[in-house]
Amino acid sequence: MTTRNVQIVEVGPRDGFQPIEQAIPTERKIDLVARLHAAGIRRMEATAFVSPRAVPQMADAAEVLDAAHRLEGLDTQVLVPTRRYAEQAIGQGARHLAFVLSASAAHNRNNVRRSPEESADEFVELAGALPAGVRIRLNLATAFDCPFEGRIEPAQVIELIDRLQHGLPGVELCLCDTTGRTTPDAVSGLFDAIGPHLPDGCTVAFHGHDTYGLGVANALAAYHAGVDVFDASFGGLGGCPFAPGATGNVATEDLVWTFERMGIPTGIDLDALIDAATDAATIPGACPGGRVRTALAAARGRESSL
């Protein structure tokens, strides 16, 4: 069987930390970012430029971004929900933006107080006016399911993608299972459905949550549908503060273990990754998840007792 290499985008320092109410010291965030880089992570969503009132955990975005930029070979992306915050991020030196908008009208209004169509039009304008050397990705949140509206039909996603056409060439489009309630058949079905609607130069990625234990299965469905880029969070940390009930992202270590066992290289040192994840799981207020970290610890315990 022919396999393709994959790229894992570590989103824990942003998606994993943002729902934690107690402030994480900036120094600890920076240390964990450096340890993830040392484990072989080469692309990371290190922080977000957002309202500090809405997401106070991201108030130190400029400091974390500056530290991440000092790590050799690290592609550091930052999440932005509007053009205003994109311009703020660029002003602080960001070179890779992840603009988020929701397929669900209710979720988008809850998140940024505007319709998906308004956010889509703003993205197209922003993508066409980026300074030289700045790249942008589009995170399409609630692409499968919404905490307020329920299941999102593929036609709804396709209609939004059609509206985004002029902003998508050369852009990575990431379909996000924000609630973690989708299933593998829906994942592969949506990626297949949007393919004919993507302009030349537009690539795809998948962002999954593990609310119902299907994070890895959904990622594999995306892989078999042709996706090579996957978001994940070390320790299974995460959960959207604007999506009630959504738990952590699929754990980075779960994806690394799965892909490597399948003979698909990730370039990530699993032991070093698990060490960082184990540390992050002790952050006050963190809700860690994932399976591999616990399973390997149990296996090592059994071996040491023999």
Side-chain angles (χ1 to χ4, degrees):
M1 180 179 68
T2 302
T3 60
R4 311 183 313 276
N5 288 357
V6 297
Q7 181 183 54
I8 293 180
V9 183
E10 175 56 64
V11 300
R14 193 279 300 175
D15 210 354
F17 292 166
Q18 70 178 12
I20 298 174
E21 293 185 5
Q22 184 173 329
I24 305 169
T26 301
E27 296 76 13
R28 188 168 191 185
K29 293 181 184 178
I30 290 172
D31 176 67
L32 286 167
V33 165
R35 289 172 64 184
L36 289 166
H37 173 261
I41 296 290
R42 289 299 175 263
R43 184 172 170 191
M44 191 185 309
E45 194 164 279
T47 188
F49 284 80
V50 293
S51 166
R53 292 187 303 275
V55 191
Q57 193 65 257
M58 298 290 106
D60 56 2
E63 294 91 335
V64 175
L65 174 63
D66 182 63
H69 275 164
R70 296 195 206 105
L71 298 173
E72 185 177 357
L74 181 63
D75 178 1
T76 304
Q77 67 186 43
V78 299
L79 184 120
V80 296
T82 66
R83 183 168 185 168
R84 170 192 168 195
Y85 287 110
E87 291 171 348
Q88 184 183 115
I90 292 169
Q92 292 293 334
R95 297 186 289 271
H96 195 170
L97 308 177
F99 187 99
V100 60
L101 70 91
S102 301
S104 154
H107 188 263
N108 207 67
R109 288 198 179 278
N110 191 58
N111 196 359
V112 293
R113 306 294 185 266
R114 62 189 65 180
S115 70
E117 292 77 16
E118 289 172 312
S119 289
D121 293 345
E122 184 176 55
F123 171 80
V124 172
E125 293 173 1
L126 175 62
L130 291 175
V134 176
R135 294 175 293 143
I136 194 166
R137 170 203 232 203
L138 177 60
N139 284 354
L140 190 54
T142 62
F144 303 90
D145 182 86
C146 170
F148 310 111
E149 299 179 13
R151 181 175 178 178
I152 301 298
E153 294 299 327
Q156 190 172 333
V157 176
I158 290 169
E159 182 178 356
L160 195 55
I161 288 174
D162 287 343
R163 189 181 186 102
L164 289 158
Q165 283 295 305
H166 295 299
L168 291 179
V171 167
E172 181 180 84
L173 172 65
C174 183
L175 298 186
C176 305
D177 177 25
T178 307
T179 65
R181 292 196 302 222
T182 197
T183 52
D185 60 320
V187 171
S188 57
L190 185 56
F191 276 107
D192 288 344
I194 68 169
H197 296 265
L198 300 179
D200 291 342
C202 179
T203 58
V204 291
F206 177 67
H207 175 108
H209 284 240
D210 202 34
T211 312
Y212 287 84
L214 290 175
V216 171
N218 288 335
L220 290 179
Y223 177 79
H224 291 302
V227 178
D228 299 323
V229 179
F230 301 88
D231 289 1
S233 176
F234 69 138
L237 300 176
C240 177
F242 305 104
T247 56
N249 298 66
V250 59
T252 309
E253 56 270 23
D254 288 11
L255 279 191
V256 169
W257 185 89
T258 300
F259 281 128
E260 294 284 352
R261 292 277 288 189
M262 293 172 63
I264 301 168
T266 64
I268 297 171
D269 181 332
L270 182 59
D271 289 337
L273 173 64
I274 288 177
D275 285 344
T278 300
D279 185 5
T282 68
I283 294 173
C287 294
R291 307 292 193 278
V292 166
R293 184 166 46 90
T294 303
L296 289 180
R300 289 165 182 161
R302 289 194 299 271
E303 290 171 0
S304 65
S305 66
L306 295 177

